[in-house]
Amino acid sequence: MAYGAAPTATADDASFETLLSRVAGDEGPWQRRTLARVSLASLLMGAHSLVAVVQTATPPFHCVAPPDALISTEVTADGQDSCFMFNASSTAAGGGQANASGAVPCEQFVFDRDRYGRTVTVEWELVCEREPLVTTVQFTFMLSVLVGYLLTGVLSDLFGRRAVAWRCSVVIPMASLAVNSASSIESFLVLRAVLGLLLPGTFVCLLVLSMETVGPPARGMYGILYQLPFDVGLILTALVALVTRTWRELQLLLSVPALLLPLLLRSLPESPRWLLSRGRLDEAADVLETIAKRNGRPAPDRGELLHQLAVCQKAERLLLGGERPSKTWRNCCAAACGDFRQLFATPRMRTISLACFWCLLVDGLISYGIAEDAPHLGGGAYAALLLSGGVGLLAIGCALLLECRLGRRPIVIVASLLTALPCAALLALPVDRHWERLTLAMVARLAISVGEKMQNLYSTELFPTTLRSIGLGVGATCTRLGAVLAPPVITIAGDFYWAVFAACALLAAVAGYRLPEIRNRQLPNTVDDVESW
């Protein structure tokens, strides 16, 4: 039935998704243009997430002999140790810093800049005793992104999706330029952490906004396509890095696209779904009328549209168990804590939550772990980023192809198993087989990326309407927690981190088996609906 001047109210009108479909359509030119505009946020997220792979690349280096010439030659152990030099007079002079062989730590280094130019590692000499700071660069960034995800959920509920995204988009270019002007490794870490705190404000809010303006049939495709620019950002970062000679030039060029984001978001309307939840029915009606006009749909009757929005608002309050208190910081936090407990309150809901969150954590751990450690497998930092981005694009193509043909659960299970196999094979492959190891690592990343894309869509369907927002928020946090844990796991486990990855992937396959298949099934509205599956 077309939504004309005076439609007859039906029971389906209590659903906002049904109303959106009738007024503006599930998908159309307006939604496609909006997806194109907000995709820049996904591209920036991808570009900044792994830019540290090339910014902290470590080129070949060796010690510089001090002017007093006490150190006569390097102790390189066939080129494998450039952190010490040999003090020929240490024994006679009683040098306190020398070890039994007369080796003393280097105080100054010379780096080969032919391949990577002036990286962060070169500028602040993050080698030998200072090498752990390289891991700290990505660890602190991912930790700040995790905190940003947590804050974004609360802020977007309080102030709106578009409002939070636009304000963050204004500050992101300034934060990126500030990173470019860092004068020490300490300030570099702090400024990158601030940037990581801001990026989820655009990435998450614009994803939610785009999902709340399309109908259920198009939601899966839009959710996957929104992730495509993330991997494009990886490829562009590698290409830009190839033509720059310093990490500051690279950071400066990555700041240029961020300047366009506030301009693209300035005229973007607020999510009508959020406006409805706040009781701002007139503004929600304005947005729906705009979408209908841009999609070539007949103009709805204003009075009838406001009536239907009021019906949707009333139905939502009944679904949530009555009207919730006004959204202050305290009330939002209290409601979030209550919803979080509901995720584990019943047996089936608890199984779904734990299995889903574990799969998402493993996705983040393995995907980011392979991408960050790929330069050490062979091919260098540039090849690692290019391959990671290319594999991500291929994973999106596979997810789009399989999403409409197979169930969600089989894809998640098979993807996890296909991740574990190459990870286990890498344990037996000699370390000098660089390209073979890199190929196996990229096969594992392709499999885990397909699982990650599908799991992100799967999560939106597993959690009931009353807990969908908190479920997706916790799930995104688990993915980022996995990314935070990736650098220390690689550092602590050493050469055996592939065994950790393989074991985690196998456990993810077992967890996926515990999830229900919901293809062609009605989405649950309450926890009771989940328990009755």
PDB file of all heavy atoms in Angstrom, residues 71 76 86 111 161 176 210 240 246 252 282 301 325 340 378 401 421-422 432 434 467 479 489 495:
ATOM      1  N   ILE A  71      85.710   2.593  21.660  1.00  0.00           N
ATOM      2  CA  ILE A  71      85.046   1.452  21.046  1.00  0.00           C
ATOM      3  C   ILE A  71      85.626   1.266  19.666  1.00  0.00           C
ATOM      4  O   ILE A  71      85.538   2.143  18.814  1.00  0.00           O
ATOM      5  CB  ILE A  71      83.526   1.680  20.981  1.00  0.00           C
ATOM      6  CG1 ILE A  71      82.986   1.862  22.398  1.00  0.00           C
ATOM      7  CG2 ILE A  71      82.817   0.541  20.292  1.00  0.00           C
ATOM      8  CD1 ILE A  71      81.515   2.137  22.468  1.00  0.00           C
ATOM      9  N   THR A  76      78.339  -7.454  16.079  1.00  0.00           N
ATOM     10  CA  THR A  76      77.091  -7.550  15.326  1.00  0.00           C
ATOM     11  C   THR A  76      76.551  -8.967  15.246  1.00  0.00           C
ATOM     12  O   THR A  76      75.429  -9.161  14.809  1.00  0.00           O
ATOM     13  CB  THR A  76      77.282  -7.024  13.895  1.00  0.00           C
ATOM     14  OG1 THR A  76      78.268  -7.823  13.248  1.00  0.00           O
ATOM     15  CG2 THR A  76      77.715  -5.575  13.904  1.00  0.00           C
ATOM     16  N   PHE A  86      82.002  -3.045  20.746  1.00  0.00           N
ATOM     17  CA  PHE A  86      83.058  -3.683  21.524  1.00  0.00           C
ATOM     18  C   PHE A  86      84.063  -2.646  22.017  1.00  0.00           C
ATOM     19  O   PHE A  86      84.642  -1.885  21.239  1.00  0.00           O
ATOM     20  CB  PHE A  86      83.780  -4.725  20.675  1.00  0.00           C
ATOM     21  CG  PHE A  86      84.842  -5.466  21.419  1.00  0.00           C
ATOM     22  CD1 PHE A  86      84.499  -6.385  22.401  1.00  0.00           C
ATOM     23  CD2 PHE A  86      86.183  -5.250  21.153  1.00  0.00           C
ATOM     24  CE1 PHE A  86      85.478  -7.077  23.091  1.00  0.00           C
ATOM     25  CE2 PHE A  86      87.167  -5.929  21.845  1.00  0.00           C
ATOM     26  CZ  PHE A  86      86.814  -6.845  22.824  1.00  0.00           C
ATOM     27  N   PHE A 111      70.775   5.322  10.835  1.00  0.00           N
ATOM     28  CA  PHE A 111      69.708   4.545  10.212  1.00  0.00           C
ATOM     29  C   PHE A 111      69.793   4.660   8.687  1.00  0.00           C
ATOM     30  O   PHE A 111      70.155   5.704   8.144  1.00  0.00           O
ATOM     31  CB  PHE A 111      68.342   5.046  10.675  1.00  0.00           C
ATOM     32  CG  PHE A 111      68.067   4.844  12.137  1.00  0.00           C
ATOM     33  CD1 PHE A 111      68.488   5.785  13.075  1.00  0.00           C
ATOM     34  CD2 PHE A 111      67.394   3.722  12.583  1.00  0.00           C
ATOM     35  CE1 PHE A 111      68.232   5.602  14.425  1.00  0.00           C
ATOM     36  CE2 PHE A 111      67.131   3.531  13.929  1.00  0.00           C
ATOM     37  CZ  PHE A 111      67.559   4.474  14.850  1.00  0.00           C
ATOM     38  N   ARG A 161      22.990  11.439  16.947  1.00  0.00           N
ATOM     39  CA  ARG A 161      24.048  10.856  16.125  1.00  0.00           C
ATOM     40  C   ARG A 161      24.775  11.930  15.320  1.00  0.00           C
ATOM     41  O   ARG A 161      26.005  12.030  15.334  1.00  0.00           O
ATOM     42  CB  ARG A 161      23.457   9.863  15.132  1.00  0.00           C
ATOM     43  CG  ARG A 161      22.877   8.553  15.637  1.00  0.00           C
ATOM     44  CD  ARG A 161      22.100   8.547  16.856  1.00  0.00           C
ATOM     45  NE  ARG A 161      21.318   7.337  17.027  1.00  0.00           N
ATOM     46  CZ  ARG A 161      21.180   6.718  18.181  1.00  0.00           C
ATOM     47  NH1 ARG A 161      21.843   7.167  19.253  1.00  0.00           N
ATOM     48  NH2 ARG A 161      20.399   5.669  18.288  1.00  0.00           N
ATOM     49  N   SER A 176      44.675  15.773  14.354  1.00  0.00           N
ATOM     50  CA  SER A 176      45.611  15.136  13.423  1.00  0.00           C
ATOM     51  C   SER A 176      46.796  16.047  13.129  1.00  0.00           C
ATOM     52  O   SER A 176      47.945  15.593  13.066  1.00  0.00           O
ATOM     53  CB  SER A 176      44.875  14.780  12.127  1.00  0.00           C
ATOM     54  OG  SER A 176      45.715  14.083  11.239  1.00  0.00           O
ATOM     55  N   SER A 210      23.256   5.981   9.371  1.00  0.00           N
ATOM     56  CA  SER A 210      22.941   5.407   8.066  1.00  0.00           C
ATOM     57  C   SER A 210      22.090   4.152   8.202  1.00  0.00           C
ATOM     58  O   SER A 210      21.209   3.897   7.373  1.00  0.00           O
ATOM     59  CB  SER A 210      24.228   5.095   7.294  1.00  0.00           C
ATOM     60  OG  SER A 210      25.028   4.159   8.000  1.00  0.00           O
ATOM     61  N   VAL A 240      50.280   6.747  -0.145  1.00  0.00           N
ATOM     62  CA  VAL A 240      50.772   8.067   0.261  1.00  0.00           C
ATOM     63  C   VAL A 240      52.136   7.943   0.935  1.00  0.00           C
ATOM     64  O   VAL A 240      53.033   8.768   0.729  1.00  0.00           O
ATOM     65  CB  VAL A 240      49.755   8.765   1.191  1.00  0.00           C
ATOM     66  CG1 VAL A 240      50.341  10.049   1.788  1.00  0.00           C
ATOM     67  CG2 VAL A 240      48.472   9.092   0.437  1.00  0.00           C
ATOM     68  N   THR A 246      59.004  11.487   5.232  1.00  0.00           N
ATOM     69  CA  THR A 246      59.000  11.580   6.692  1.00  0.00           C
ATOM     70  C   THR A 246      57.617  11.216   7.207  1.00  0.00           C
ATOM     71  O   THR A 246      56.611  11.337   6.482  1.00  0.00           O
ATOM     72  CB  THR A 246      59.355  13.002   7.188  1.00  0.00           C
ATOM     73  OG1 THR A 246      58.279  13.898   6.880  1.00  0.00           O
ATOM     74  CG2 THR A 246      60.642  13.497   6.541  1.00  0.00           C
ATOM     75  N   LEU A 252      50.542  14.786   7.801  1.00  0.00           N
ATOM     76  CA  LEU A 252      49.962  16.015   7.250  1.00  0.00           C
ATOM     77  C   LEU A 252      49.013  15.702   6.096  1.00  0.00           C
ATOM     78  O   LEU A 252      47.899  16.254   6.020  1.00  0.00           O
ATOM     79  CB  LEU A 252      51.078  16.952   6.783  1.00  0.00           C
ATOM     80  CG  LEU A 252      50.641  18.298   6.199  1.00  0.00           C
ATOM     81  CD1 LEU A 252      49.908  19.124   7.238  1.00  0.00           C
ATOM     82  CD2 LEU A 252      51.847  19.054   5.660  1.00  0.00           C
ATOM     83  N   ASP A 282       8.019  16.602  15.381  1.00  0.00           N
ATOM     84  CA  ASP A 282       8.004  17.528  14.244  1.00  0.00           C
ATOM     85  C   ASP A 282       9.305  17.440  13.442  1.00  0.00           C
ATOM     86  O   ASP A 282       9.289  17.444  12.196  1.00  0.00           O
ATOM     87  CB  ASP A 282       7.796  18.965  14.736  1.00  0.00           C
ATOM     88  CG  ASP A 282       6.338  19.239  15.111  1.00  0.00           C
ATOM     89  OD1 ASP A 282       5.455  18.718  14.406  1.00  0.00           O
ATOM     90  OD2 ASP A 282       6.088  19.957  16.090  1.00  0.00           O
ATOM     91  N   ASP A 301       0.820  13.053   4.094  1.00  0.00           N
ATOM     92  CA  ASP A 301       0.013  14.028   4.819  1.00  0.00           C
ATOM     93  C   ASP A 301       0.664  14.314   6.166  1.00  0.00           C
ATOM     94  O   ASP A 301       0.955  13.389   6.929  1.00  0.00           O
ATOM     95  CB  ASP A 301      -1.409  13.500   5.017  1.00  0.00           C
ATOM     96  CG  ASP A 301      -2.280  14.465   5.800  1.00  0.00           C
ATOM     97  OD1 ASP A 301      -2.766  15.449   5.207  1.00  0.00           O
ATOM     98  OD2 ASP A 301      -2.424  14.239   7.027  1.00  0.00           O
ATOM     99  N   PRO A 325      13.093   7.654  32.173  1.00  0.00           N
ATOM    100  CA  PRO A 325      13.348   9.007  32.658  1.00  0.00           C
ATOM    101  C   PRO A 325      14.138   9.824  31.645  1.00  0.00           C
ATOM    102  O   PRO A 325      14.715   9.291  30.711  1.00  0.00           O
ATOM    103  CB  PRO A 325      14.161   8.763  33.939  1.00  0.00           C
ATOM    104  CG  PRO A 325      14.760   7.407  33.767  1.00  0.00           C
ATOM    105  CD  PRO A 325      13.770   6.626  32.980  1.00  0.00           C
ATOM    106  N   PHE A 340      22.887  -3.747  30.420  1.00  0.00           N
ATOM    107  CA  PHE A 340      24.036  -4.650  30.393  1.00  0.00           C
ATOM    108  C   PHE A 340      23.745  -5.924  31.188  1.00  0.00           C
ATOM    109  O   PHE A 340      24.078  -7.034  30.752  1.00  0.00           O
ATOM    110  CB  PHE A 340      25.269  -3.949  30.950  1.00  0.00           C
ATOM    111  CG  PHE A 340      26.513  -4.791  30.919  1.00  0.00           C
ATOM    112  CD1 PHE A 340      27.233  -4.953  29.747  1.00  0.00           C
ATOM    113  CD2 PHE A 340      26.954  -5.441  32.067  1.00  0.00           C
ATOM    114  CE1 PHE A 340      28.376  -5.738  29.714  1.00  0.00           C
ATOM    115  CE2 PHE A 340      28.092  -6.217  32.046  1.00  0.00           C
ATOM    116  CZ  PHE A 340      28.800  -6.367  30.860  1.00  0.00           C
ATOM    117  N   GLY A 378      57.671 -10.389   6.102  1.00  0.00           N
ATOM    118  CA  GLY A 378      58.290 -10.263   4.785  1.00  0.00           C
ATOM    119  C   GLY A 378      57.550  -9.243   3.941  1.00  0.00           C
ATOM    120  O   GLY A 378      56.345  -9.080   4.056  1.00  0.00           O
ATOM    121  N   LEU A 401      28.650 -11.539  -1.205  1.00  0.00           N
ATOM    122  CA  LEU A 401      28.242 -12.677  -2.024  1.00  0.00           C
ATOM    123  C   LEU A 401      27.578 -13.765  -1.192  1.00  0.00           C
ATOM    124  O   LEU A 401      26.583 -14.377  -1.615  1.00  0.00           O
ATOM    125  CB  LEU A 401      29.460 -13.231  -2.757  1.00  0.00           C
ATOM    126  CG  LEU A 401      29.213 -14.388  -3.735  1.00  0.00           C
ATOM    127  CD1 LEU A 401      28.357 -13.918  -4.905  1.00  0.00           C
ATOM    128  CD2 LEU A 401      30.534 -14.958  -4.242  1.00  0.00           C
ATOM    129  N   LEU A 421      43.592 -22.741  10.510  1.00  0.00           N
ATOM    130  CA  LEU A 421      44.477 -23.623   9.737  1.00  0.00           C
ATOM    131  C   LEU A 421      45.776 -22.930   9.307  1.00  0.00           C
ATOM    132  O   LEU A 421      46.866 -23.444   9.575  1.00  0.00           O
ATOM    133  CB  LEU A 421      43.719 -24.165   8.525  1.00  0.00           C
ATOM    134  CG  LEU A 421      42.612 -25.186   8.828  1.00  0.00           C
ATOM    135  CD1 LEU A 421      41.891 -25.574   7.546  1.00  0.00           C
ATOM    136  CD2 LEU A 421      43.203 -26.424   9.498  1.00  0.00           C
ATOM    137  N   PRO A 422      45.739 -21.776   8.638  1.00  0.00           N
ATOM    138  CA  PRO A 422      47.019 -21.136   8.278  1.00  0.00           C
ATOM    139  C   PRO A 422      47.806 -20.649   9.482  1.00  0.00           C
ATOM    140  O   PRO A 422      49.046 -20.629   9.444  1.00  0.00           O
ATOM    141  CB  PRO A 422      46.594 -19.969   7.374  1.00  0.00           C
ATOM    142  CG  PRO A 422      45.168 -19.735   7.676  1.00  0.00           C
ATOM    143  CD  PRO A 422      44.597 -21.055   8.076  1.00  0.00           C
ATOM    144  N   ASP A 432      62.720 -18.093   7.699  1.00  0.00           N
ATOM    145  CA  ASP A 432      63.362 -17.488   6.532  1.00  0.00           C
ATOM    146  C   ASP A 432      62.515 -17.604   5.269  1.00  0.00           C
ATOM    147  O   ASP A 432      62.891 -17.087   4.218  1.00  0.00           O
ATOM    148  CB  ASP A 432      64.736 -18.113   6.296  1.00  0.00           C
ATOM    149  CG  ASP A 432      64.661 -19.613   6.071  1.00  0.00           C
ATOM    150  OD1 ASP A 432      63.611 -20.210   6.391  1.00  0.00           O
ATOM    151  OD2 ASP A 432      65.645 -20.184   5.579  1.00  0.00           O
ATOM    152  N   HIS A 434      59.989 -15.993   3.952  1.00  0.00           N
ATOM    153  CA  HIS A 434      59.247 -14.758   4.210  1.00  0.00           C
ATOM    154  C   HIS A 434      57.938 -14.673   3.427  1.00  0.00           C
ATOM    155  O   HIS A 434      56.871 -14.430   3.997  1.00  0.00           O
ATOM    156  CB  HIS A 434      60.138 -13.562   3.897  1.00  0.00           C
ATOM    157  CG  HIS A 434      61.356 -13.469   4.755  1.00  0.00           C
ATOM    158  ND1 HIS A 434      61.281 -13.316   6.125  1.00  0.00           N
ATOM    159  CD2 HIS A 434      62.678 -13.527   4.449  1.00  0.00           C
ATOM    160  CE1 HIS A 434      62.508 -13.267   6.630  1.00  0.00           C
ATOM    161  NE2 HIS A 434      63.374 -13.395   5.636  1.00  0.00           N
ATOM    162  N   LEU A 467      17.577  -4.412  23.616  1.00  0.00           N
ATOM    163  CA  LEU A 467      18.984  -4.475  24.034  1.00  0.00           C
ATOM    164  C   LEU A 467      19.945  -4.322  22.851  1.00  0.00           C
ATOM    165  O   LEU A 467      21.147  -4.517  23.017  1.00  0.00           O
ATOM    166  CB  LEU A 467      19.267  -5.823  24.727  1.00  0.00           C
ATOM    167  CG  LEU A 467      18.464  -6.129  25.993  1.00  0.00           C
ATOM    168  CD1 LEU A 467      18.796  -7.519  26.509  1.00  0.00           C
ATOM    169  CD2 LEU A 467      18.749  -5.102  27.076  1.00  0.00           C
ATOM    170  N   THR A 479      35.631  -5.936  20.064  1.00  0.00           N
ATOM    171  CA  THR A 479      36.503  -5.934  18.896  1.00  0.00           C
ATOM    172  C   THR A 479      37.717  -5.045  19.132  1.00  0.00           C
ATOM    173  O   THR A 479      38.861  -5.417  18.812  1.00  0.00           O
ATOM    174  CB  THR A 479      35.734  -5.442  17.663  1.00  0.00           C
ATOM    175  OG1 THR A 479      34.594  -6.281  17.442  1.00  0.00           O
ATOM    176  CG2 THR A 479      36.612  -5.475  16.420  1.00  0.00           C
ATOM    177  N   VAL A 489      50.140  -9.300  23.118  1.00  0.00           N
ATOM    178  CA  VAL A 489      50.126 -10.753  22.906  1.00  0.00           C
ATOM    179  C   VAL A 489      51.276 -11.164  22.001  1.00  0.00           C
ATOM    180  O   VAL A 489      51.983 -12.149  22.268  1.00  0.00           O
ATOM    181  CB  VAL A 489      48.771 -11.192  22.298  1.00  0.00           C
ATOM    182  CG1 VAL A 489      48.873 -12.611  21.739  1.00  0.00           C
ATOM    183  CG2 VAL A 489      47.674 -11.126  23.349  1.00  0.00           C
ATOM    184  N   ASP A 495      57.512 -15.951  19.165  1.00  0.00           N
ATOM    185  CA  ASP A 495      57.291 -16.725  17.943  1.00  0.00           C
ATOM    186  C   ASP A 495      56.084 -17.650  18.040  1.00  0.00           C
ATOM    187  O   ASP A 495      55.655 -18.212  17.024  1.00  0.00           O
ATOM    188  CB  ASP A 495      58.533 -17.565  17.629  1.00  0.00           C
ATOM    189  CG  ASP A 495      59.741 -16.688  17.292  1.00  0.00           C
ATOM    190  OD1 ASP A 495      59.523 -15.537  16.866  1.00  0.00           O
ATOM    191  OD2 ASP A 495      60.874 -17.161  17.476  1.00  0.00           O
TER     192      ASP A 495
END
